[in-house]
Amino acid sequence: MAIKNAFYAQSGGVTAVINASACGVIETARKHPDQIGKVYAGRNGIIGALREELIDTTEESDEAIRALMHTPGGAFGSCRYKMKNLTENRREYERLVEVFQAHDIGYFFYNGGGDSQDTAFKVSQIAEKMGYPITCIGVPKTVDNDLPFTDCCPGFGSVAKYVATSTMEASLDIKSMCESSTKVFILEVMGRHAGWIAASGGLAGNGRDEPPHIILFPEIPFDREAFLARVEQSVKDYGYCVVVASEGAQYEDGRFVADAGGKDAFGHTQLGGVAPTLANMVKQALGYKFHWAVADYLQRAARHIASATDVEQAYTVGQKAVEMALAGKQAVMPIIVREQSSPYRWHIGEAPLSEVANQEKKMPIHFISDDGFGITDDCREYLQPLIEGEAFPPFENGIPKVARLKNQLTGKKLKTPFDV
């Protein structure tokens, strides 16, 4: 079997553990020099392939690659770039073939969420429709936990741990001050259409009297009057109210509570901050002093409090992606299959990219309490093992130590540049 090079790229919003998947891909490829030559990483995702900006990971030491295990962000750069269908923009695919041929690339590993798996599937069709043989495997990643088939998504467990911890810590703060000061605290978390991250805030307490007192899910239509009534009742009963709100909270007609009026690169509605919107509702209707926070990038960059389960799973899907490619698999994605919740046991399965692409897994209705403001025991049982275990990074001078890569580009072989 001829030795071929591999292309790996990161796509979409990064996570605290996406680099662990990169580590899994690169370390596993290095164990098979008789089948995989170099691993090239796309600088800024698929854009790196189109521009022929390929990072030569063979220039990195084993120690540097291993350090990816405890480094957040995207070590090679990521992007939000959605490729059109082959019939709509054939030139993009022709360019990919040109770059892959020029650099003898026979393996393609794309690390991302739903839109990214759509790209991975489209690239896999090159072999059939354009006559270029390339083995294409998707590598799952998304903090939103909304990819279908897989029990959970690498990146989610660490965000869940961060949100649960932050909710608990902030709750203790407001509880100590509520008698004479702030009475309402609102934490805005990610989750455009699926409430998994918001649900994880529910792990901060256990019971109606423990914070968070209100969780707002995209799956449950937002009712302004019911929300304000629950805030007021919580303040009367407990002295304060803690709210965890998904950025994707929306009214019954589908309008986002925080619709900012714009669109992102994938055509998604640009959201403008549900926390201050809710806080103003509370102030105007009830007059309570409030504070709000937006977890934003902090929640997906917090490698210092990553879930050990999440780190292990992120590495494993990268490792298995390479093993699947070497076994002759095509257009599939490794998935996490839960065997049992307590003690937590799981293994790796696979799903076809054709069915994964552009699908969203929302919260099951039985994971949300009947009043729509909390999580059920079933949800708690699902979430709990995903935040288990600590995988602290090494520290230096009081802050986490991260990988410092050379990210050296290999020489270009094509004369024609490509604008993206």
Side-chain angles (χ1 to χ4, degrees):
M1 183 177 179
I3 298 174
K4 291 286 185 178
N5 297 322
F7 175 84
Y8 164 82
Q10 300 172 325
S11 177
V14 294
T15 79
V17 299
I18 188 174
N19 290 328
S21 293
C23 181
V25 168
I26 296 169
E27 286 190 342
T28 307
R30 288 184 175 186
K31 293 177 182 178
H32 299 276
D34 57 328
Q35 294 173 278
I36 299 178
K38 292 186 175 185
V39 176
Y40 293 116
R43 184 163 78 173
N44 301 321
I46 195 70
I47 291 175
L50 293 169
R51 290 178 177 167
E52 199 188 0
E53 294 177 347
L54 308 181
I55 296 167
D56 187 353
T57 68
T58 62
E59 296 294 325
E60 310 293 348
S61 67
D62 289 344
E63 292 74 19
I65 296 302
R66 174 47 44 166
L68 291 174
M69 288 292 290
H70 53 78
T71 302
F76 306 109
S78 187
C79 69
R80 293 194 184 278
Y81 185 82
K82 189 175 179 68
M83 293 184 69
K84 296 180 180 179
N85 292 323
L86 184 61
T87 54
E88 294 180 79
N89 195 344
R90 187 178 182 85
R91 180 62 192 129
E92 281 189 332
Y93 293 90
E94 290 174 342
R95 175 65 175 188
L96 287 180
V97 169
E98 291 168 1
V99 172
F100 292 161
Q101 284 179 326
H103 295 275
D104 199 24
I105 292 170
Y107 302 96
F108 180 93
F109 302 102
Y110 209 38
N111 198 174
D115 288 315
S116 306
Q117 300 310 322
D118 174 66
T119 296
F121 176 62
K122 288 171 180 172
V123 173
S124 75
Q125 295 177 305
I126 289 178
E128 178 183 348
K129 295 185 177 180
M130 299 187 68
Y132 182 79
I134 185 164
T135 300
C136 183
I137 308 291
V139 184
K141 171 264 354 170
T142 176
V143 297
D144 291 325
N145 200 41
D146 60 356
L147 283 171
F149 301 107
T150 186
D151 176 71
C152 60
C153 301
F156 169 69
S158 295
V159 168
K161 190 179 186 78
Y162 176 89
V163 169
T165 301
S166 297
T167 301
M168 184 268 290
E169 292 175 337
S171 296
L172 292 174
D173 186 306
I174 189 174
K175 183 178 181 180
S176 66
M177 297 295 294
C178 66
E179 179 63 27
S180 59
S181 185
T182 305
K183 301 206 180 291
V184 177
F185 174 71
I186 302 169
L187 176 63
E188 176 182 330
V189 300
M190 290 178 171
R192 179 177 300 274
H193 296 126
W196 297 104
I197 298 178
S200 67
L203 296 177
N206 191 358
R208 187 182 175 94
D209 59 331
E210 296 184 19
H213 306 103
I214 299 173
I215 302 175
L216 299 180
F217 308 93
E219 291 88 350
I220 302 296
F222 178 72
D223 183 324
R224 181 180 182 277
E225 299 310 316
F227 165 71
L228 291 171
R230 175 58 67 89
V231 170
E232 185 174 30
Q233 191 62 51
S234 295
V235 172
K236 287 180 178 178
D237 291 345
Y238 318 120
Y240 67 109
C241 179
V242 173
V243 180
V244 176
S246 167
E247 64 179 351
Q250 54 192 278
Y251 294 99
E252 192 164 11
D253 63 5
R255 286 182 301 116
F256 288 104
V257 174
D259 187 343
K263 301 287 183 181
D264 68 11
F266 288 126
H268 302 314
T269 298
Q270 194 75 41
L271 303 182
V274 71
T277 301
L278 294 170
N280 285 332
M281 285 184 193
V282 169
K283 181 66 175 178
Q284 292 171 7
L286 303 173
Y288 296 140
K289 183 177 180 181
F290 62 81
H291 273 267
W292 56 265
V294 181
D296 200 53
Y297 280 14
L298 298 178
Q299 65 200 296
R300 74 185 198 196
R303 179 58 185 81
H304 65 285
I305 195 172
S307 151
T309 297
D310 195 27
V311 175
E312 181 184 3
Q313 291 179 337
Y315 181 89
T316 304
V317 294
Q319 172 192 2
K320 294 298 183 182
V322 175
E323 293 176 357
M324 287 177 178
L326 295 179
K329 302 285 186 178
Q330 172 68 309
V332 297
M333 181 186 79
I335 61 172
I336 296 161
V337 180
R338 183 180 301 224
E339 298 175 12
Q340 62 181 48
S341 296
S342 183
Y344 184 48
R345 285 170 40 190
W346 56 277
H347 67 269
I348 296 293
E350 65 181 64
L353 288 178
S354 60
E355 296 182 29
V356 172
N358 296 313
Q359 300 295 319
E360 286 182 315
K361 179 180 68 178
K362 297 189 176 183
M363 289 264 295
I365 195 64
H366 69 276
F367 276 14
I368 301 174
S369 59
D370 290 341
D371 61 12
F373 288 135
I375 62 173
T376 63
D377 289 341
D378 284 347
C379 185
R380 189 176 298 274
E381 180 182 1
Y382 167 80
L383 292 172
Q384 191 65 51
L386 304 183
I387 71 168
E388 298 275 332
E390 287 65 55
F392 298 119
F395 278 70
E396 185 174 66
N397 297 325
I399 62 174
K401 189 175 181 179
V402 298
R404 303 293 182 186
L405 302 183
K406 301 173 185 176
N407 278 354
Q408 183 173 316
L409 295 178
T410 193
K412 291 189 177 183
K413 298 183 178 183
L414 301 177
K415 296 181 180 179
T416 307
F418 191 87
D419 294 327
V420 176

